[in-house]
């Protein structure tokens, strides 16, 4: 069983910064891709950023230049540094881990429980 535990959400003023973290635990041998998605009220969940174990990144156009994703492969953690936050970044942010090899076999993906990010003055 794999668990993803997120931290770092909260309330921040426009222009401010937040850092989200996500730690994967369980009998994990490897995780190919880790990333962050978000879902605002009334909208579909969308990709924010993802990063493969080989270092390939993918960012949503709306966050390029403001957000930076990083990961510690041996510790199975992923971070999202969010700078210059805007009200439209307000959403629940979900951690995702994909293509996981565990002691029990291959798992397609897991999701965290979500953490609220609110950007407001």
């Amino acid at each position: 069983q794999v668990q993803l535990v997120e931290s770092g959400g909260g309330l921040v003023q426009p222009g401010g910064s937040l850092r989200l973290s996500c730690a994967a635990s369980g009998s994990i041998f490897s995780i190919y891709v880790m990333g962050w998605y978000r879902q605002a009220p009334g909208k579909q969940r969308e990709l924010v950023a993802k990063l493969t174990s080989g270092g390939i990144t993918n960012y949503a156009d709306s966050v390029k230049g403001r957000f930076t994703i990083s990961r510690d492969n041996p510790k199975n953690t992923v971070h999202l540094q969010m700078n210059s936050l805007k009200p439209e970044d307000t959403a629940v942010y979900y951690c995702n881990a994909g293509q996981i090899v565990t002691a029990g076999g291959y798992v397609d993906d897991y999701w965290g429980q979500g953490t609220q990010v609110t950007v407001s003055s």
Side-chain angles (χ1 to χ4, degrees), residues 1 3 16 28 34-35 42 54 58 63 74 76 79 88 98 102 115 118 120:
Q1 180 119 9
Q3 285 190 318
I28 298 170
M34 297 188 77
N58 187 5
V63 308
N76 293 321
H79 309 282
E88 50 264 43
T102 74
T115 184
T118 302
S120 175

Side-chain angles (χ1 to χ4, degrees), residues 16-99:
S17 298
L18 281 175
R19 180 178 169 87
L20 304 182
S21 295
C22 172
S25 62
S27 301
I28 298 170
F29 292 146
S30 66
I31 303 175
Y32 176 65
V33 60
M34 297 188 77
W36 293 91
Y37 291 71
R38 68 186 180 187
Q39 188 167 17
K43 294 188 177 181
Q44 289 188 329
R45 189 173 298 188
E46 62 176 2
L47 171 70
V48 177
K50 60 183 179 180
L51 174 59
T52 70
S53 56
I56 299 172
T57 58
N58 187 5
Y59 290 94
D61 288 342
S62 59
V63 308
K64 284 180 181 177
R66 300 188 298 122
F67 292 9
T68 302
I69 190 169
S70 61
R71 64 186 281 186
D72 184 334
N73 290 331
K75 294 183 179 179
N76 293 321
T77 58
V78 64
H79 309 282
L80 185 68
Q81 179 66 42
M82 304 186 292
N83 299 329
S84 303
L85 282 160
K86 304 175 181 180
E88 50 264 43
D89 294 317
T90 296
V92 177
Y93 283 69
Y94 296 90
C95 177
N96 174 265
Q99 298 179 52

